[in-house]
Amino acid sequence: MTPLAVADPGGLIQSVDWVAVAPPLIAALAALAVLVADLFLPEARKRLLGWLSAAGLLAALAALIPLVGDARSTFCFTGPAGGCSYTADHFALAFQLLALGGALLTVLLSLHTVDGAAPNSGSAAGLPGGEYWFLLLSSACGAALLPAARDLATLVIALEVATLPGFALVGLRRDGRGAESALKFFLSSVTATAVMLLGVSFVYAAAGTVQLQGIADGLAHAPGQLKPLAEAGAVLTLVGFAFKTAAVPFHFWVPDTYVGAPLPVAGYLSVVGKAAGLSGLALVTTLAFRPYGHTWGLVLAVLAALTMTAGNTAALRQRADTPHGAVRLLAWSSVGQAGYLLVPLAAAGYADSAEPLGATVAYALIYGLVNLGAFGVVALVGGSGRLDGFRGLAGRNRWAAFALAFFLLCLAGLPPGVVGLFGKVVVFRSAVDAGLGWLAVVMAVNVVIALAYYLKWTALLFAPSAGEAGEAGEAGEPAATRRTPAGLGAALGLAAAGAAVLSVAPQLVLRVVSGSLF
């Protein structure tokens, strides 16, 4: 009789903590439900799929509530390199809130686009509903899974689940521009993923495990002949995640992709896509590559300085009469914001602690809320997307003008967008506390540069209109008479209300700065 390969085969059977995995699991089940329902619903009722998607994401968000408190882990195994592949701690919950909440706002922004009522939908017939909602929910599932992953295999799978549907979402726009943007996004992302997988293989060869905590221990005690391999693997892995966060010089795909994608998808990529890459980058650096903290801390500090400078400088150069100028400005602005988000990660390397990551989490939550709101107003105004099209918007649609002004001031960090100011202050403080004074100076200069284009756009909203037709005429009807779709109005209302509440009580989100994330 052949002996068993393991002494206790029953020990391989794991008990799954279904409460811990509920948020991404519910999003995945909702995606399957939408795909199946699309096969049987008549054409007249397919708009219900959007509301079904929103209900699924609401249920996934509600599943976060029982997880508040102590961390819960599952998919664990014993042995010399034992550990857990999934952990729902404070870090995971914060990014899951951002991913699922951002996806919910995207669904509300997308309802009129999929129904074909939006001037920027890409075609008069709108987008294919079943495919659109399935891809969006699938991507949200991957983005919610990624911050809870605690091994490299789960991290890579979750990152690709979050990213791959994005290619198709961008390409769903049927005007030719979407296909070109999707191809550019696909080729650059696949290249970055290949580089990252090569780095992951090097790290596994040097550390002997894919568990993040085990990798840190393995790298700390790796033989001298394996250290060059481990260092090369760490660098290549960081390159892959740097692409996902749109860090310079891996940002070149952002402007064209955002312009070619449907506006809600562009907003989704700027928030949820960036959050997925950022959470993965934070995990591999602070947990797996902890022994090389000062090295990757310096690399991330340089990337942060280059990213915020390139993004803000390019946004400042956007002309008011350029087609799609508003989306391009938001695209370059998102690159600049990515630079701010990288600052606390660099500080964590110098501080040899995960404590500065709280600033990244807080700023990401603030940025995600107001940036999706800004994309929503751009979708509402429609037209060719020129910045000139927003001139005199207050006279045509005062509530849209006030909402966009508030979102822009939050991004700039000016009152009444106080929550944006607090977010920048905690990021700035993390750099100073870590001894990165030069990076704090670079950030201060970039904040001033960003003020110029944010305030210029805000001023256009309340400037005298150039004429009765103007950009609204290009959209087909005056903005004052165009009825705001219910979903779009709900998304803008939620984003504006959330930003207003956080401006009055910023401690609701800033408390993560002082708490322990892991």
Side-chain angles (χ1 to χ4, degrees), residues 152 198-210 215 218-219 222-223 226 229-230 233:
L152 287 179
L198 180 62
V200 167
S201 65
F202 286 174
V203 171
Y204 174 71
T209 179
V210 293
I215 290 172
L219 295 182
L226 290 180
L229 182 68

Side-chain angles (χ1 to χ4, degrees), residues 244-502:
K244 307 299 183 182
T245 57
V248 171
F250 313 105
H251 67 293
F252 49 86
W253 58 275
V254 172
D256 290 341
T257 299
Y258 286 14
V259 168
L263 274 175
V265 175
Y268 176 84
L269 292 176
S270 73
V271 173
V272 180
K274 187 179 271 73
L278 192 69
S279 60
L281 184 62
L283 287 172
V284 297
T285 51
T286 58
L287 295 183
F289 301 152
R290 190 174 61 247
Y292 302 148
H294 286 278
T295 301
W296 59 254
L298 177 60
V299 171
L300 291 182
V302 173
L303 283 180
L306 293 175
T307 301
M308 66 178 75
T309 302
N312 288 320
T313 303
L316 184 64
R317 295 176 59 246
Q318 296 304 306
R319 296 175 53 184
D321 59 350
T322 303
H324 309 291
V327 178
R328 285 191 174 275
L329 189 148
L330 288 175
W332 285 113
S333 167
S334 74
V335 174
Q337 299 286 348
Y340 302 148
L341 290 166
L342 289 174
V343 171
L345 268 67
Y350 280 83
D352 197 22
S353 167
E355 184 176 348
L357 290 184
T360 288
V361 175
Y363 194 83
L365 290 170
I366 296 166
Y367 161 75
L369 186 65
V370 298
N371 204 62
L372 276 173
F375 270 100
V377 178
V378 174
L380 175 63
V381 173
S384 65
R386 295 201 308 259
L387 289 171
D388 274 343
F390 293 83
R391 184 183 299 275
L393 180 62
R396 306 192 302 270
N397 191 331
R398 70 176 66 182
W399 296 116
F402 286 142
L404 181 56
F406 182 50
F407 295 140
L408 293 176
L409 291 176
C410 284
L411 290 171
L414 291 176
V418 178
V419 66
L421 175 62
F422 276 101
K424 284 184 169 58
V425 168
V426 296
V427 170
F428 186 88
R429 180 179 175 181
S430 69
V432 173
D433 290 346
L436 292 170
W438 66 271
L439 185 57
V441 172
V442 173
M443 179 180 173
V445 172
N446 274 276
V447 169
V448 175
I449 295 174
L451 287 178
Y453 62 82
Y454 285 132
L455 291 178
K456 181 180 178 181
W457 193 357
T458 304
L460 279 176
L461 303 176
F462 302 96
S465 180
E468 291 297 324
E471 183 69 16
E474 296 182 24
E477 59 176 314
T481 62
R482 189 184 305 133
R483 185 172 177 269
T484 301
L488 184 54
L492 293 178
L494 286 174
V501 169
L502 293 180

